[in-house]
Amino acid sequence: MKRLSFTIINTVAQLPALHRLSDAGAGANLMHLTPARDSEIIAYGEARTSVPAPRPGTLPAQGLLSNGGISPAVLVHGLLKGLSQHGVDVHFASFNIGVPAPKSVGQTPSPLASVRHFGGEDTTAEQLLPTLLDHMLEQTQFGTTSILSECGVGGTTFSTLWLRGLTGLPLSPAGSTQCPQKLAHKAALLSQLEQAHLPQGFDLQRALATPGAHDPLQKVLCGLVSQWPDSTPLPRFGGGMMLLAPLMACEQAGTLSQSAHIDTTRWAVAGDAQRILPLLADRIQIHSHHTHFGDSRHACLHRYEQGEVVEGCGLGALLVQLESLTLPDGTLMGWLDEAVNAHLKRFESVPQHKEAV
């Protein structure tokens, strides 16, 4: 691998009380800031979009998620930084739909070859699609490994809705939490959405044309696939059910004209996902990583193996691609551990508190 293009689509689902659905976020009334902060961590190793200080006495340790895990954005940064130091030309771009664009001005320079941010809070999927299409087509040239990933806060609700309609299976609510209260809230919301949008089964064009039946990520991905030229290979898709749902919908609607490869984490294809895999058309192929996070010296990485953190900002896709390289044993885990060390060190001088959820 000589050149890597890592692109992320940042969105937020238009759903009430998102902090009651997900562990992956900045908290009540702040969830829309999560994609910007994650992209800043990926590009620069630090979040630059500020949020109010959490209530004292409410995180297991500074810099960690409320469930004791660590943001996958930290790990993605560590892998991209490691690749850069290994001589790979790494380029990062974020496409922001209805969410604030990441801040590019800060004290810490990016270790990557280039960082670009497109769109923002007032940008729609329709407005950003032409730029995204041009960008992704450009990245397929010159022997570049191109990954298209996602950070869609709340989007697992709509991906589960679509997958229920596409498969007829009573799939459980997917997402970034094992909290019983959050899962119950998501289950009730999904039941309402099913009654509103699936009484006549699933139809892609109707779902995309109906407000409340889709999120911006699904809209822009379906648009990208439908306009992608047959003569050009698709990028690698980095994500789990949130990317599988629109790709599966496009395949059934006849707008996916070539093979699509989804690279994801092992945890994203556990559970109910195993019931979906046998139903996939041959042109949709899913690959998952092998690196075992239990080999880390950090408990926050062990949380991934325990199923506590499943959303990944393209983490699984990077691991799949890096595992195909000839790297010395222990290199990937070394990069991950180093990223955790650097991230937690930023918080050592700050009194510990718990994150407000």
Side-chain angles (χ1 to χ4, degrees), residues 234-246:
L234 285 164
R236 308 291 297 199
F237 292 99
M241 297 303 102
M242 287 180 65
L243 293 184
L244 177 59

Side-chain angles (χ1 to χ4, degrees), residues 30 50-56 353-356:
L30 301 171
S50 61
V51 298
R55 296 192 308 267
H353 58 255
K354 288 191 175 182
E355 180 183 6

Side-chain angles (χ1 to χ4, degrees), residues 315-333:
L315 173 61
L318 273 178
L319 287 171
V320 168
Q321 292 303 308
L322 269 59
E323 287 172 351
S324 69
L325 303 178
T326 305
L327 296 171
D329 290 345
T331 296
L332 297 186
M333 187 52 63

Side-chain angles (χ1 to χ4, degrees), residues 57-263:
T58 65
L59 215 169
Q62 285 276 31
L64 299 182
L65 303 174
S66 58
N67 57 20
I70 192 165
S71 169
V74 173
L75 307 182
V76 170
H77 172 75
L79 294 177
L80 293 179
K81 180 179 178 181
L83 273 178
S84 294
Q85 295 173 341
H86 197 69
V88 176
D89 200 22
V90 179
H91 299 263
F92 174 66
S94 75
F95 284 78
N96 304 278
I97 305 172
V99 292
K103 297 183 184 302
S104 57
V105 176
Q107 302 254 334
T108 307
S110 175
L112 311 182
S114 72
V115 176
R116 293 188 290 172
H117 305 300
F118 301 88
E121 201 160 8
D122 297 325
T123 305
T124 66
E126 293 87 350
Q127 291 170 335
L128 203 55
L129 177 57
T131 306
L132 175 64
L133 180 60
D134 288 346
H135 170 81
M136 296 310 303
L137 287 172
E138 180 185 352
Q139 302 313 306
T140 63
Q141 302 175 17
F142 314 118
T144 300
T145 299
S146 179
I147 297 173
L148 180 59
S149 58
E150 54 79 18
C151 179
V153 178
T156 51
T157 300
F158 286 105
S159 65
T160 304
L161 175 71
W162 278 33
L163 289 170
R164 285 182 179 183
L166 287 161
T167 66
L169 297 173
L171 302 171
S172 59
S176 62
T177 185
Q178 291 187 349
C179 171
Q181 292 83 3
K182 292 182 180 181
L183 289 173
H185 185 67
K186 182 176 284 192
L189 177 58
L190 273 166
S191 179
Q192 296 174 14
L193 292 171
E194 270 194 284
Q195 294 175 24
H197 302 298
L198 296 181
Q200 301 173 349
F202 181 84
D203 177 82
L204 177 58
Q205 295 309 314
R206 183 175 66 240
L208 291 176
T210 305
H214 65 273
D215 67 11
L217 177 65
Q218 292 167 329
K219 192 155 198 172
V220 76
L221 275 176
C222 289
L224 182 77
V225 168
S226 67
Q227 296 183 37
W228 194 267
D230 294 345
S231 59
T232 305
L234 285 164
R236 308 291 297 199
F237 292 99
M241 297 303 102
M242 287 180 65
L243 293 184
L244 177 59
L247 288 175
M248 193 171 177
C250 288
E251 197 282 329
Q252 290 196 11
T255 59
L256 178 64
S257 60
Q258 58 179 290
S259 295
H261 294 268
I262 300 176
D263 298 332

